[in-house]
Amino acid sequence: MSTAAACDGWIVFEDEAGQSMTPPRARSWGRKGATPVVRVRVRGSGRVSMAGLTCYKPGKRPRMFYSVREYRGRKGEPKGIGWRDLRDLLVRAHMQLGGPIVLVWDNLRMHLVEPMRAFTADHAEWRTVFQLPSYSPDLNPQEGIWSLVKRDIGNLAAADLGQITRAVKRKLKML
């Protein structure tokens, strides 16, 4: 893709996050001298995996695309977002944005697997990829979105994995 075509496209930041059934530590208000304690039953394993794209283009409103997957610990079930899910999310974003994208993401192993590299090479006419340094959360605005989502569910004492998934999807739709 030429530099001029890349400048006309959308800048897309991609990142992944997850939330398990174990509630995160969060702050809350309580009576003076009485620390609030929330008891949580954790039955089995479970995880909600998320992949998100934040998209920017001068003169346009920012856009966000995301994919959410539950992992309940069943045999043969994918543990999280895979390269195929990410590929489908990128294709969906490209179709809805209607133009080339300049993709910025980290060095996650899923981004570097051979099928994803082949997909990148096969679609170089609408997709340019830039790798962020190994650990650089302050360079990726998608990290701020994950922070907002996790802050919102920080005091949630979920009874089941579905409740966490609904809370995550509700917050992402609000954003």
Side-chain angles (χ1 to χ4, degrees), residues 48-87:
V48 177
S49 297
M50 308 166 277
L53 305 173
T54 51
C55 312
Y56 302 95
K57 185 175 183 178
K60 303 275 187 177
R61 68 177 180 86
R63 302 277 307 270
M64 183 173 68
F65 300 90
Y66 60 89
S67 179
V68 177
R69 167 169 285 185
E70 286 183 354
Y71 171 66
R72 297 186 178 276
R74 296 184 182 125
K75 188 174 181 178
E77 181 181 29
K79 289 188 177 182
I81 302 287
W83 74 269
R84 288 180 185 89
D85 301 314
L86 185 55
R87 175 199 62 197

Side-chain angles (χ1 to χ4, degrees), residues 10-14 53-56 90 97 101-104:
W10 289 78
I11 297 176
V12 177
F13 293 89
E14 190 276 339
L53 305 173
T54 51
C55 312
Y56 302 95
L90 290 167
L97 295 173
I101 62 174
V102 177
L103 182 63
V104 181

Side-chain angles (χ1 to χ4, degrees), residues 130-149:
F130 289 99
Q131 300 284 143
L132 288 171
S134 291
Y135 183 72
S136 51
D138 23 331
L139 298 178
N140 193 339
Q142 185 65 38
E143 293 281 355
I145 291 171
W146 298 142
S147 175
L148 289 171
V149 169

Side-chain angles (χ1 to χ4, degrees), residues 20-35:
S20 67
M21 280 293 294
T22 306
R25 291 184 62 153
R27 291 181 174 238
S28 180
W29 293 96
R31 286 193 181 134
K32 187 174 182 178
T35 304

Side-chain angles (χ1 to χ4, degrees), residues 83-129:
W83 74 269
R84 288 180 185 89
D85 301 314
L86 185 55
R87 175 199 62 197
D88 296 344
L89 183 61
L90 290 167
V91 169
R92 188 174 82 214
H94 168 64
M95 289 171 50
Q96 290 187 23
L97 295 173
I101 62 174
V102 177
L103 182 63
V104 181
W105 62 15
D106 54 14
N107 290 318
L108 184 69
R109 186 176 56 223
M110 176 177 45
H111 301 157
L112 305 174
V113 297
E114 188 53 41
M116 186 57 92
R117 287 181 188 246
F119 175 73
T120 300
D122 292 344
H123 296 89
E125 71 276 0
W126 61 266
R127 194 172 115 185
T128 305
V129 177

